[in-house]
Amino acid sequence: MTAVVETEGLTKFYGARRGLEDLTLEIRPGEVFGYLGPNGAGKTTTIRLLLDVIRPTSGRATVFGADTRDPRVRARIGYLPGELALEGRERARDYLQFLADVRGGVSRGRIDDLAERLDADLSVRMGELSKGNKQKVGLIQAFMHEPDLLILDEPTGGLDPLVQQEFLAMVREARTAGRTILMSSHVLAEVEHVADRVGIVRAGRLVAVEDIAALRERAVRHVELHFDAPVPAESFQGLPGVRDVVVQGASLRCTIDGRPDALIKAAARYTVVHLVSAEPDLEEIFLTYYSEEEGRHAHAGA
Amino acid sequence: MPTLVRKSLGEYRRALIGWTVGLCAFLTMYISIYAGFMDDPETFSAQAVAKYPGAFRDLMGGMSDIATGRGYLQAVAYQLLGPLLFTMCAAILGNRAIAGPEENKTLELTLTLPIDRRRLLLERWAALALGLLIVALVTLAVATVAASAADMNVPFGKILAAHTGLFLLVLFFGTLTLCVGAASGRRQVALAVTGVWGVAGYIVETMGRNVDAISWLRWISPSHYYLDGRPLYEGWPYGDYLVLLGATAVLLMTALLAFERRDVGV
């Protein structure tokens, strides 16, 4: 299947300042792609390039196989800007209707359904919307025409936790319906529950693309086992992926990298009365990633 | 009507109503006091006018026959103040097409609609032209009625010719503001260019016409093509009006090309 978004050596300089350099990325149909990085790393630059708001210095990008210059591509995209500006005396509902008309119409009642789900008041004038309500109007306009690709730049900013849950539900529904989603954030926690893959961008460069599932598998986990009788430490030495083994009488503490399989099989020879395994903190893994990458770059540069 | 033209006109509505009311009030007031001057022929007698400094008379278009209905109408409505006010209206609206929305960041979402940039700009311009046309038509009606109520004895055909010139002049300046705004994305730059070109052009055309050192510059003054043919006296200066229209078309093309290749909102 062809990629929904494909970039090759995509580079954008604002004068001498680097916005994004040499981005080669593929987003597959039907996946939720989390695009992570600190503020100013190049997330919004990438998104604006995909939407043809700005033009690349070099490299190319296609969406649904077509050049981003082709305006017809944008009919299939729903976009939530990172800095959503809504101004003027127009009422939110009228503005949404205008956007719907230009995009070729939305099904009847769709706007009201979404407004109800997100608890948004659409009778307010745009210039008078609160920050949270602005974000809701932004989400409604991004989702209302049921686009094949959703590009959401920092979507949860300004939303209260309940609405955030509703938003994540909308993202999951969109994925179930086979749509593709590109979602940027500066924190992993915001995307890790919905994303299939994540890409990390730093200082204008993509430093890693990872499967969330693989990342979980690779995660470092602290495990504690309690047995009904003291166990010999030798039984747990040299197991693949198991390190820092400490046996104290009937209890064992260790760290596992990746799968816990070898440890479980070794422990199965004894009677296990209690097992504690902490949920891996993906944020921590990412930070490790960052520092490793940086270390490598620094090394290469030296 | 295309969605975007309708939408833009809706955005301009309040400004259009405001400027129309203001311009009409200005025209009615100034034209209606003509009768008062005529009751007191001393005010605008040749000797009285001769007391004004020459430069001021030049600036007001000569004032040689200000005691007649035609001369008065030209001096107060069509010479300086009318075009000045109407041009300000055009520049403000011209800025609301691209530069304004770009500066307040609402343009980004509009750009991501499935409309190509050329159509976006053309439809915004069409809304500007339509809006200015509405103001021009209403003010034309008001000027005609007020002039006949004040017994100015200026035939409608001549008022129409002058008013058309006024419309073409402000359309040029509105398009200029839109063009600079579309190319630079900055309202202040667009206003500055329009203001400087407008004022300098007017001065060159009026006070500079007898100054050899700058009179050759008149050909780049938009006011030249509006004032030089004296439409209120001579009727339609077709050639001059075509120049204004042509220049507007060139500006529009420039705006299309510049906007097409630019990064927006950075």
Side-chain angles (χ1 to χ4, degrees):
Chain A
M1 233 188 300
T2 48
V4 172
V5 173
E6 204 174 356
T7 72
E8 228 180 83
L10 195 63
T11 300
K12 177 68 191 177
F13 276 84
Y14 302 105
R17 190 166 62 84
R18 177 169 68 187
L20 186 71
E21 194 165 9
D22 198 23
L23 174 77
T24 299
L25 179 70
E26 197 182 281
I27 297 175
R28 303 166 196 145
E31 77 172 336
V32 178
F33 190 87
Y35 199 44
L36 296 174
N39 294 328
K43 302 187 300 280
T44 299
T45 296
T46 311
I47 285 170
R48 286 188 171 152
L49 284 167
L50 293 179
L51 287 153
D52 195 39
V53 175
I54 56 177
R55 271 53 189 279
T57 311
S58 64
R60 48 171 220 109
T62 59
V63 177
F64 295 115
D67 193 281
T68 49
R69 282 288 184 99
D70 187 347
R72 281 168 302 177
V73 161
R74 297 198 290 269
R76 300 176 65 186
I77 302 178
Y79 170 51
L80 176 71
E83 270 176 63
L84 179 66
L86 301 172
E87 301 272 335
R89 300 178 46 82
E90 201 178 5
R91 296 187 191 282
R93 180 184 307 281
D94 298 333
Y95 182 63
L96 288 171
Q97 196 56 55
F98 155 72
L99 293 176
D101 290 346
V102 180
R103 288 173 180 153
V106 304
S107 53
R108 237 184 127 73
R110 173 85 175 145
I111 293 178
D112 288 317
D113 288 349
L114 287 171
E116 201 173 316
R117 278 190 81 169
L118 294 170
D119 190 25
D121 182 2
L122 300 184
S123 64
V124 180
R125 294 184 195 281
M126 302 245 285
E128 293 160 9
L129 287 168
S130 66
K131 193 171 186 301
N133 260 315
K134 256 184 201 170
Q135 195 70 358
K136 289 175 187 175
V137 171
L139 285 171
I140 293 173
Q141 64 80 29
F143 279 84
M144 66 182 177
H145 55 305
E146 301 181 325
D148 295 323
L149 170 64
L150 276 158
I151 298 183
L152 310 170
D153 195 359
E154 305 268 355
T156 52
L159 295 181
D160 61 59
L162 266 177
V163 183
Q164 276 192 34
Q165 287 308 314
E166 197 57 47
F167 160 73
L168 290 176
M170 281 162 59
V171 170
R172 285 193 196 98
E173 279 164 33
R175 180 177 49 183
T176 310
R179 307 184 205 291
T180 309
I181 296 151
L182 166 61
M183 190 169 152
S184 89
S185 177
H186 57 275
V187 281
L188 178 66
E190 252 178 29
V191 303
E192 69 170 310
H193 297 295
V194 286
D196 301 303
R197 284 197 305 155
V198 287
I200 306 153
V201 61
R202 264 216 153 175
R205 284 179 173 281
L206 187 70
V207 293
V209 177
E210 278 295 326
D211 238 72
I212 285 271
L215 209 60
R216 282 229 164 78
E217 200 162 292
R218 279 233 322 264
V220 175
R221 244 178 267 242
H222 302 289
V223 178
E224 240 180 270
L225 286 165
H226 297 271
F227 302 94
D228 66 343
V231 290
E234 310 82 67
S235 317
F236 297 94
Q237 297 298 346
L239 293 174
V242 180
R243 49 191 175 82
D244 309 330
V245 181
V246 178
V247 178
Q248 278 181 332
S251 76
L252 172 146
R253 274 180 295 129
C254 67
T255 305
I256 51 177
D257 300 316
R259 298 182 178 189
D261 190 61
L263 175 71
I264 297 295
K265 283 185 174 138
R269 282 180 275 155
Y270 308 96
T271 309
V272 181
V273 293
H274 192 53
L275 178 135
V276 184
S277 167
E279 177 67 13
D281 186 353
L282 294 193
E283 197 86 45
E284 201 177 308
I285 308 167
F286 263 129
L287 293 178
T288 332
Y289 231 118
Y290 277 152
S291 49
E292 274 174 14
E293 278 291 321
E294 270 177 1
R296 208 174 305 156
H297 277 296
H299 199 71
Chain B
M1 195 187 290
T3 323
L4 210 62
V5 177
R6 204 173 58 226
K7 157 94 172 154
S8 309
L9 271 177
E11 286 172 12
Y12 298 165
R13 192 179 59 208
R14 288 166 67 87
L16 284 173
I17 293 173
W19 280 99
T20 307
V21 169
L23 280 166
C24 289
F26 155 77
L27 285 170
T28 329
M29 247 165 56
Y30 274 71
I31 293 174
S32 64
I33 53 175
Y34 168 70
F37 283 122
M38 291 309 103
D39 292 343
D40 181 9
E42 286 302 298
T43 334
F44 282 149
S45 66
Q47 295 94 314
V49 169
K51 287 179 190 160
Y52 289 108
F56 177 76
R57 272 179 285 144
D58 283 346
L59 203 62
M60 294 309 290
M63 297 175 72
S64 56
D65 62 346
I66 195 164
T68 69
R70 208 186 295 256
Y72 182 85
L73 189 61
Q74 174 68 30
V76 302
Y78 289 105
Q79 179 70 30
L80 175 60
L81 286 176
L84 179 72
L85 290 174
F86 205 170
T87 299
M88 283 166 64
C89 161
I92 287 169
L93 288 179
N95 248 344
R96 287 176 64 172
I98 301 290
E102 180 165 351
E103 281 190 356
N104 72 24
K105 307 227 180 269
T106 53
L107 187 62
E108 184 173 345
L109 199 55
T110 314
L111 272 186
T112 62
L113 292 169
I115 306 177
D116 69 46
R117 287 196 189 181
R118 244 175 273 166
R119 212 184 107 202
L120 172 74
L121 190 134
L122 270 179
E123 292 198 13
R124 290 277 200 184
W125 178 82
L128 167 72
L130 267 176
L132 293 177
L133 183 64
I134 293 167
V135 179
L137 286 174
V138 176
T139 49
L140 169 66
V142 167
T144 308
V145 171
S148 88
D151 289 326
M152 282 181 157
N153 293 318
V154 187
F156 174 71
K158 299 289 196 283
I159 296 184
L160 178 65
H163 219 85
T164 304
L166 181 59
F167 169 68
L168 291 177
L169 180 77
V170 300
L171 183 63
F172 170 86
F173 280 120
T175 309
L176 174 66
T177 316
L178 180 145
C179 174
V180 178
S184 68
R186 310 223 183 286
R187 274 185 306 176
Q188 296 303 331
V189 176
L191 276 186
V193 170
T194 304
V196 169
W197 196 351
V199 171
Y202 184 80
I203 290 173
V204 166
E205 171 60 20
T206 54
M207 297 168 79
R209 64 190 308 146
N210 301 319
V211 183
D212 290 340
I214 54 170
S215 64
W216 61 273
L217 277 170
R218 289 169 63 201
W219 74 272
I220 55 161
S221 162
S223 310
H224 173 68
Y225 301 96
Y226 163 65
L227 291 171
D228 197 51
R230 294 164 43 89
L232 213 49
Y233 299 83
E234 318 284 341
W236 297 81
Y238 293 108
D240 287 351
Y241 284 5
L242 279 177
V243 172
L244 279 178
L245 261 181
T248 303
V250 169
L251 285 176
L252 185 59
M253 288 302 298
T254 312
L256 286 171
L257 292 175
F259 188 54
E260 177 69 24
R261 60 191 60 199
R262 194 167 64 82
D263 289 348
V264 171
V266 290

